[in-house]
Amino acid sequence: MNPIHGLLTLAYMPEVASDQAEASDPLMHFITGLSAFFFVLIIAVMVWFAFKYRRREPGQEATSQASHSNLLEVAWSLPPLIIVMVIFFVGLRGFVTMANPSANIIRVDVTAKKWTWGFSYPGYKLENHPELLLPKGVPVEVVIRSDDVLHSLFIPAFRTKKDAVPGQYNRVYFTPTRSGTFPIFCAEYCGTSHSTMLSRVIVYDTKEEWLKAVDDAARLPFKELPDELFEQWLAIGSAEQFDAFKEKVVALGGDWPDRVGKMVPPAVRGEKLSTQHGCKTCHSSDGSRLTGPTWKDLYQLERTFDNGSKAAADENYLRESILYPNRKIVATYGKGQMPQFQGVLNEREVDAIIAYIRTLKEE
Ligand code: CUA
């Protein structure tokens, strides 16, 4: 960012801490400057005209002097068109980077509920942490959902705002460019404590520092327990492994089963739910074809439907297919084969099953 933009940002914008902020601030300054310029120009011309064309003698009738002027019409059409197109394309470029993943991304799942934020780090066994922890210079994919009503994740220093919509997964991409601590707000009125639905993002200088912070946070409930138990927790990749872990925790006695034994990773919960609800009788996890498509490598796979349309099997598609299976039928599979789970599974359970399906994708 050049020094002039830096100074302007200092004057009326929050600090700059992400690639999005660096990309969008110059455009913001341009639009603000443009507005100020035309405001002054229009007011000045208006005052001048009011004076110049004032009524000079009592009883003077107003007469029209307006006639057609090609020059004038081109002058007020063409330059604004060019300016607006510049704004559009610079804005579009920012939107595209914000809406598209890049390589080596860190994923964070955000759950909004009245009136807290929960940040989960898939693959790091840190669930529902109250703060967003990120390393500097590494692209982040943030996937946002809501447990109840509309919320909006707003990080002013990143110039990032994304709604948490019930029944929908939204995602946004950015790269933090400065270490430090920055506030997070809820920017969608969500009831009594909307204004206290605050959190913060902590950006670490290096990925190592970040890994340590995530590890420390994940280790917290295990503080007084043997390291070996925490290592076992980190290695959990299936319901079976979780049950073995839980057995050890139960053997510890005291309130450990309550404190640690109930921390079920979402994917494990999803695996158990998919057994309970019979999903596995029709959806294999090893790639073989049963009544329904296999779940192996299904996540983000492009699907072709019986009407010829296509879509990636992202969270929104998987959720729809669980709750309303007949809306989209993958080509070569039969309609009406799967029972509808709307009213059977709640949003949290659907989310857990999706988390399980995600773990069945080979990286
Ligand atoms: Cu959550 Cu406002």
Side-chain angles (χ1 to χ4, degrees):
M1 179 172 292
N2 72 42
I4 298 171
H5 283 142
L7 273 176
L8 283 167
T9 293
L10 216 59
Y12 73 109
M13 298 282 275
E15 50 202 328
V16 173
S18 83
D19 60 336
Q20 286 301 323
E22 284 173 20
S24 65
D25 276 19
L27 186 63
M28 181 70 194
H29 301 325
F30 175 68
I31 295 172
T32 309
L34 197 70
S35 310
F37 172 76
F38 278 107
F39 174 74
V40 170
L41 183 74
I42 289 167
I43 296 293
V45 169
M46 200 172 74
V47 168
W48 178 48
F49 280 2
F51 174 75
K52 186 176 176 200
Y53 298 108
R54 70 191 182 281
R55 177 179 285 175
R56 296 187 189 248
E57 48 207 54
Q60 185 186 2
E61 289 286 316
T63 53
S64 170
Q65 293 169 346
S67 62
H68 187 75
S69 164
N70 281 331
L71 185 71
L72 204 57
E73 288 199 12
V74 171
W76 74 47
S77 307
L78 208 56
L81 178 73
I82 293 168
I83 293 171
V84 171
M85 289 319 272
V86 167
I87 294 173
F88 171 74
F89 279 108
V90 177
L92 181 71
R93 201 179 52 185
F95 176 79
V96 168
T97 46
M98 203 166 10
N100 281 294
S102 42
N104 299 321
I105 225 155
I106 291 175
R107 177 180 170 132
V108 182
D109 287 320
V110 182
T111 304
K113 64 173 186 194
K114 293 183 199 169
W115 285 279
T116 54
W117 297 104
F119 300 96
S120 301
Y121 304 77
Y124 299 95
K125 292 284 191 308
L126 177 57
E127 301 293 334
N128 267 309
H129 194 63
E131 290 171 330
L132 178 56
L133 313 175
L134 298 172
K136 190 176 85 179
V138 182
V140 188
E141 171 182 50
V142 178
V143 183
I144 308 171
R145 55 176 289 272
S146 168
D147 258 1
D148 37 47
V149 298
L150 262 184
H151 302 270
S152 189
L153 183 80
F154 181 32
I155 312 172
F158 290 176
R159 312 288 188 273
T160 301
K161 189 166 90 174
K162 201 74 187 174
D163 281 3
V165 183
Q168 188 178 318
Y169 291 81
N170 283 340
R171 36 190 8 117
V172 64
Y173 301 88
F174 55 82
T175 307
T177 52
R178 248 185 70 189
S179 55
T181 302
F182 311 99
I184 294 176
F185 299 97
C186 176
E188 197 72 65
Y189 181 67
C190 55
T192 320
S193 299
H194 157 71
S195 61
T196 60
M197 191 167 163
L198 307 169
S199 177
R200 53 186 195 158
V201 42
I202 304 173
V203 180
Y204 296 88
D205 267 313
T206 62
K207 198 163 176 186
E208 288 67 44
E209 280 176 57
W210 170 75
L211 273 172
K212 189 177 178 309
V214 168
D215 189 72
D216 285 349
R219 202 178 281 266
L220 214 56
F222 294 84
K223 232 167 65 185
E224 295 146 51
L225 294 175
D227 273 354
E228 168 219 347
L229 202 68
F230 178 64
E231 298 305 328
Q232 191 179 351
W233 159 258
L234 285 185
I236 291 173
S238 68
E240 209 177 305
Q241 286 166 336
F242 176 78
D243 290 339
F245 161 84
K246 196 174 171 181
E247 224 168 84
K248 278 196 188 166
V249 176
V250 170
L252 287 172
D255 60 353
W256 289 113
D258 255 8
R259 281 163 65 179
V260 175
K262 279 190 181 161
M263 298 179 4
V264 192
V268 167
R269 207 165 58 232
E271 187 185 346
K272 292 190 170 193
L273 282 165
S274 65
T275 309
Q276 275 167 29
H277 289 277
C279 311
K280 288 183 160 176
T281 50
C282 298
H283 298 283
S284 75
S285 51
D286 61 2
S288 57
R289 183 186 169 116
L290 303 174
T291 310
T294 182
W295 282 358
K296 183 171 191 271
D297 292 332
L298 171 62
Y299 178 62
Q300 293 295 20
L301 188 71
E302 189 181 73
R303 310 260 67 190
T304 307
F305 305 113
D306 53 5
N307 64 3
S309 64
K310 288 176 186 207
D314 62 4
E315 288 84 351
N316 287 317
Y317 164 78
L318 294 173
R319 175 184 174 277
E320 183 187 43
S321 293
I322 294 169
L323 297 178
Y324 311 98
N326 288 319
R327 284 194 186 165
K328 293 193 179 91
I329 301 294
V330 174
T332 77
Y333 287 90
K335 205 179 173 87
Q337 297 291 315
M338 177 170 157
Q340 176 163 311
F341 282 88
Q342 167 63 23
V344 180
L345 295 169
N346 65 35
E347 290 288 342
R348 280 197 155 248
E349 291 168 330
V350 172
D351 189 55
I353 292 175
I354 295 172
Y356 171 55
I357 294 173
R358 278 189 3 235
T359 62
L360 296 174
K361 183 185 166 81
E362 300 271 350
E363 284 303 329

